[in-house]
Amino acid sequence: MAEAASTAADTGSTAPPRKKKKFYSQLWFWVLIGIVAGIGVGLAAPDFAKELKWLADAFVQMIKVIIGPVIFCTVIVGIASLGNLARAGGLALRALGYFLVMTVVALALGLLAGNLFTPGLGFEGQPDPSQIADAQESLGTASGESGVVGFIQDSLLPSSFLGPFVDNSVLQVLVLAILSACAISGLNTTMRTRIVSSIESIAQVIFGIIKLIMWAAPVAAFGGMAYTVGAFGVESLRNLGLLMAVFWGTCLVFILGVLGLVSWLSGFNILKVIRLVKDELLIIVGTSSSESVLPRLLTKLQAAGASKQTVGMVIPTGYSFNLDGTCIYLTLGALFIIQAGGENLPIGAQIGLAVLMVLTSKGAAGVTGAGLVTLAASLQAFGGEFFTPEAIVVGLALIVGIDRVMSEGRALTNMIGNVVATFVVARWNGELDRERLRAVLNDPRLVESAMDAEHGGAPVEEATEEEKKSDRAAEPVGSSA
């Protein structure tokens, strides 16, 4: 993909050590400042804070403008540069197999948590008219998104070449990119190399645009957090606090338990992975959108040791097919609605609903509100004796007020799940530099040069000779990540 990233990856753990940046020159610090300032404004002036939501919305809107081109260029370069469709197909099958297993596990975990803690049992609150109106809007949006045929025609297959880019349909852009990459792979070597090189040049321009947009991330975090606290406040969240606590706790169990086990079996530590992507996690907390960090992940994971081909295939695909946090939200939210209505869903029906959600969870991009629409689509598709249209509207209205808070949990879990998936699939495919990954996880500063080149950052002073000797002495030995 990017020259700086590939250079960093190629050099492995022997890259020149760099002097640690001043904390105030790093993106995570200013995003954190934005979050804290947003909380303060939300508590002190809630009416004013409600008007600041546009700051986060504008940032996500600008990021979404370049998501389609980024995915299109990255996937084409990743597949076409292989020059071997069989190898690319094997990579895709491994990724999809992993995604399916994680989807089933996440859905099952949501069901288990809902049955153990029964967050909706004994609920006596009533939604207000504005919440009911929002729920009806979500239900209307979801009305045409159910069923296998509907998913294939409406969500998977594009109706025009440019349409998916205009509509920011990640899944459809991915389909176009794969088709284009396959066509380019069939050309002779000279022509294929020339086209791939041209697309890489276009990608450089796109990453230059991203570099400019990312300077607004702290402002977006400020606006998003101010709106959340100002609109909902501490008091308004207490009514549904148990649901939020169960959801966030379940996500934590999934990350540290399930993904932690997968990471350990693959030879790396989940806590170090989280430390590696802390900047991206803070951006998600502020913007409540995992799409806002997709371009950064493409660069960072490649610089950490995963191959260009694996990163280019797994990350964009994972944003539609590996939504672990969304899956937990779907089954837990469905059980909450049933319990809040004073009903009981038999285990057999719960399993049937989970099977349906294996399909409906796909294509739900990591944008605020997508999980709510997907939940509405799932409940409407299941329908029948368990969910009447009226029950769905009332149930969604009960949780619409806290959906933004839960959306952050979905986005964080989705992103961490896709990072782990990239490293796991890269190792399965023999395309993971395990020594490089181990070094980066022990010292995330090793990817800073690639991140600065692609996404901007303050200049870093060269380390002194004593610091270089100290860093070399502390450098890990071995080839296992």
Side-chain angles (χ1 to χ4, degrees), residues 1-11 299 302-303 308 450:
M1 188 177 61
E3 183 179 348
S6 53
T7 301
D10 292 341
T11 55
T299 302
Q302 185 181 332
K308 178 191 302 182

PDB file of all heavy atoms in Angstrom, residues 1-11 299 302-303 308 450:
ATOM      1  N   MET A   1       0.844  -1.189   0.000  1.00  0.00           N
ATOM      2  CA  MET A   1       0.000   0.000   0.000  1.00  0.00           C
ATOM      3  C   MET A   1       0.872   1.229   0.000  1.00  0.00           C
ATOM      4  O   MET A   1       1.357   1.674  -0.999  1.00  0.00           O
ATOM      5  CB  MET A   1      -0.958  -0.024   1.201  1.00  0.00           C
ATOM      6  CG  MET A   1      -1.996   1.054   1.188  1.00  0.00           C
ATOM      7  SD  MET A   1      -3.124   0.874   2.607  1.00  0.00           S
ATOM      8  CE  MET A   1      -1.953   1.050   3.954  1.00  0.00           C
ATOM      9  N   ALA A   2       1.102   1.769   1.173  1.00  0.00           N
ATOM     10  CA  ALA A   2       1.905   2.986   1.233  1.00  0.00           C
ATOM     11  C   ALA A   2       3.371   2.660   1.358  1.00  0.00           C
ATOM     12  O   ALA A   2       3.769   1.730   2.036  1.00  0.00           O
ATOM     13  CB  ALA A   2       1.445   3.836   2.423  1.00  0.00           C
ATOM     14  N   GLU A   3       4.186   3.471   0.700  1.00  0.00           N
ATOM     15  CA  GLU A   3       5.626   3.199   0.674  1.00  0.00           C
ATOM     16  C   GLU A   3       6.225   3.241   2.063  1.00  0.00           C
ATOM     17  O   GLU A   3       7.034   2.399   2.432  1.00  0.00           O
ATOM     18  CB  GLU A   3       6.300   4.219  -0.235  1.00  0.00           C
ATOM     19  CG  GLU A   3       7.794   3.970  -0.396  1.00  0.00           C
ATOM     20  CD  GLU A   3       8.417   4.988  -1.325  1.00  0.00           C
ATOM     21  OE1 GLU A   3       7.679   5.714  -1.997  1.00  0.00           O
ATOM     22  OE2 GLU A   3       9.654   5.039  -1.379  1.00  0.00           O
ATOM     23  N   ALA A   4       5.822   4.233   2.857  1.00  0.00           N
ATOM     24  CA  ALA A   4       6.393   4.349   4.197  1.00  0.00           C
ATOM     25  C   ALA A   4       6.042   3.166   5.049  1.00  0.00           C
ATOM     26  O   ALA A   4       6.868   2.666   5.815  1.00  0.00           O
ATOM     27  CB  ALA A   4       5.876   5.639   4.863  1.00  0.00           C
ATOM     28  N   ALA A   5       4.808   2.674   4.899  1.00  0.00           N
ATOM     29  CA  ALA A   5       4.393   1.533   5.706  1.00  0.00           C
ATOM     30  C   ALA A   5       5.160   0.288   5.313  1.00  0.00           C
ATOM     31  O   ALA A   5       5.637  -0.474   6.152  1.00  0.00           O
ATOM     32  CB  ALA A   5       2.884   1.309   5.551  1.00  0.00           C
ATOM     33  N   SER A   6       5.286   0.059   3.989  1.00  0.00           N
ATOM     34  CA  SER A   6       5.981  -1.136   3.555  1.00  0.00           C
ATOM     35  C   SER A   6       7.459  -1.070   3.904  1.00  0.00           C
ATOM     36  O   SER A   6       8.084  -2.083   4.203  1.00  0.00           O
ATOM     37  CB  SER A   6       5.781  -1.331   2.044  1.00  0.00           C
ATOM     38  OG  SER A   6       6.140  -0.167   1.347  1.00  0.00           O
ATOM     39  N   THR A   7       8.021   0.119   3.862  1.00  0.00           N
ATOM     40  CA  THR A   7       9.422   0.259   4.246  1.00  0.00           C
ATOM     41  C   THR A   7       9.622  -0.104   5.695  1.00  0.00           C
ATOM     42  O   THR A   7      10.563  -0.815   6.061  1.00  0.00           O
ATOM     43  CB  THR A   7       9.900   1.702   4.000  1.00  0.00           C
ATOM     44  OG1 THR A   7       9.732   2.017   2.630  1.00  0.00           O
ATOM     45  CG2 THR A   7      11.330   1.874   4.395  1.00  0.00           C
ATOM     46  N   ALA A   8       8.717   0.393   6.530  1.00  0.00           N
ATOM     47  CA  ALA A   8       8.813   0.092   7.952  1.00  0.00           C
ATOM     48  C   ALA A   8       8.651  -1.379   8.200  1.00  0.00           C
ATOM     49  O   ALA A   8       9.343  -1.971   9.030  1.00  0.00           O
ATOM     50  CB  ALA A   8       7.743   0.886   8.722  1.00  0.00           C
ATOM     51  N   ALA A   9       7.721  -1.996   7.479  1.00  0.00           N
ATOM     52  CA  ALA A   9       7.491  -3.420   7.692  1.00  0.00           C
ATOM     53  C   ALA A   9       8.672  -4.247   7.219  1.00  0.00           C
ATOM     54  O   ALA A   9       9.033  -5.256   7.815  1.00  0.00           O
ATOM     55  CB  ALA A   9       6.202  -3.845   6.970  1.00  0.00           C
ATOM     56  N   ASP A  10       9.265  -3.833   6.100  1.00  0.00           N
ATOM     57  CA  ASP A  10      10.375  -4.601   5.556  1.00  0.00           C
ATOM     58  C   ASP A  10      11.595  -4.569   6.460  1.00  0.00           C
ATOM     59  O   ASP A  10      12.372  -5.517   6.520  1.00  0.00           O
ATOM     60  CB  ASP A  10      10.763  -4.049   4.172  1.00  0.00           C
ATOM     61  CG  ASP A  10       9.666  -4.311   3.146  1.00  0.00           C
ATOM     62  OD1 ASP A  10       8.829  -5.204   3.406  1.00  0.00           O
ATOM     63  OD2 ASP A  10       9.659  -3.627   2.116  1.00  0.00           O
ATOM     64  N   THR A  11      11.791  -3.491   7.168  1.00  0.00           N
ATOM     65  CA  THR A  11      13.000  -3.366   7.970  1.00  0.00           C
ATOM     66  C   THR A  11      12.950  -4.179   9.241  1.00  0.00           C
ATOM     67  O   THR A  11      13.966  -4.396   9.883  1.00  0.00           O
ATOM     68  CB  THR A  11      13.237  -1.893   8.344  1.00  0.00           C
ATOM     69  OG1 THR A  11      12.065  -1.396   8.990  1.00  0.00           O
ATOM     70  CG2 THR A  11      13.549  -1.062   7.126  1.00  0.00           C
ATOM     71  N   THR A 299      -2.752   1.453   7.409  1.00  0.00           N
ATOM     72  CA  THR A 299      -1.325   1.775   7.487  1.00  0.00           C
ATOM     73  C   THR A 299      -0.666   1.118   8.686  1.00  0.00           C
ATOM     74  O   THR A 299       0.401   0.487   8.567  1.00  0.00           O
ATOM     75  CB  THR A 299      -1.139   3.302   7.587  1.00  0.00           C
ATOM     76  OG1 THR A 299      -1.730   3.932   6.462  1.00  0.00           O
ATOM     77  CG2 THR A 299       0.343   3.660   7.641  1.00  0.00           C
ATOM     78  N   GLN A 302      -0.193  -2.834   8.563  1.00  0.00           N
ATOM     79  CA  GLN A 302       0.841  -3.225   7.611  1.00  0.00           C
ATOM     80  C   GLN A 302       2.229  -2.913   8.178  1.00  0.00           C
ATOM     81  O   GLN A 302       3.151  -3.716   8.072  1.00  0.00           O
ATOM     82  CB  GLN A 302       0.649  -2.502   6.281  1.00  0.00           C
ATOM     83  CG  GLN A 302       1.635  -2.952   5.200  1.00  0.00           C
ATOM     84  CD  GLN A 302       1.437  -2.188   3.907  1.00  0.00           C
ATOM     85  OE1 GLN A 302       0.341  -1.727   3.610  1.00  0.00           O
ATOM     86  NE2 GLN A 302       2.502  -2.041   3.134  1.00  0.00           N
ATOM     87  N   ALA A 303       2.355  -1.754   8.810  1.00  0.00           N
ATOM     88  CA  ALA A 303       3.635  -1.389   9.414  1.00  0.00           C
ATOM     89  C   ALA A 303       3.978  -2.288  10.593  1.00  0.00           C
ATOM     90  O   ALA A 303       5.149  -2.418  10.962  1.00  0.00           O
ATOM     91  CB  ALA A 303       3.596   0.071   9.879  1.00  0.00           C
ATOM     92  N   LYS A 308       0.691  -6.531   2.960  1.00  0.00           N
ATOM     93  CA  LYS A 308      -0.192  -5.600   2.250  1.00  0.00           C
ATOM     94  C   LYS A 308      -1.444  -6.319   1.759  1.00  0.00           C
ATOM     95  O   LYS A 308      -2.556  -5.803   1.852  1.00  0.00           O
ATOM     96  CB  LYS A 308       0.576  -5.002   1.074  1.00  0.00           C
ATOM     97  CG  LYS A 308      -0.242  -4.053   0.208  1.00  0.00           C
ATOM     98  CD  LYS A 308       0.486  -3.711  -1.082  1.00  0.00           C
ATOM     99  CE  LYS A 308       1.832  -3.091  -0.843  1.00  0.00           C
ATOM    100  NZ  LYS A 308       2.501  -2.710  -2.109  1.00  0.00           N
ATOM    101  N   ALA A 450       5.746   5.343   9.823  1.00  0.00           N
ATOM    102  CA  ALA A 450       4.742   5.059   8.799  1.00  0.00           C
ATOM    103  C   ALA A 450       3.478   5.869   9.044  1.00  0.00           C
ATOM    104  O   ALA A 450       2.888   6.420   8.106  1.00  0.00           O
ATOM    105  CB  ALA A 450       4.412   3.567   8.784  1.00  0.00           C
TER     106      ALA A 450
END
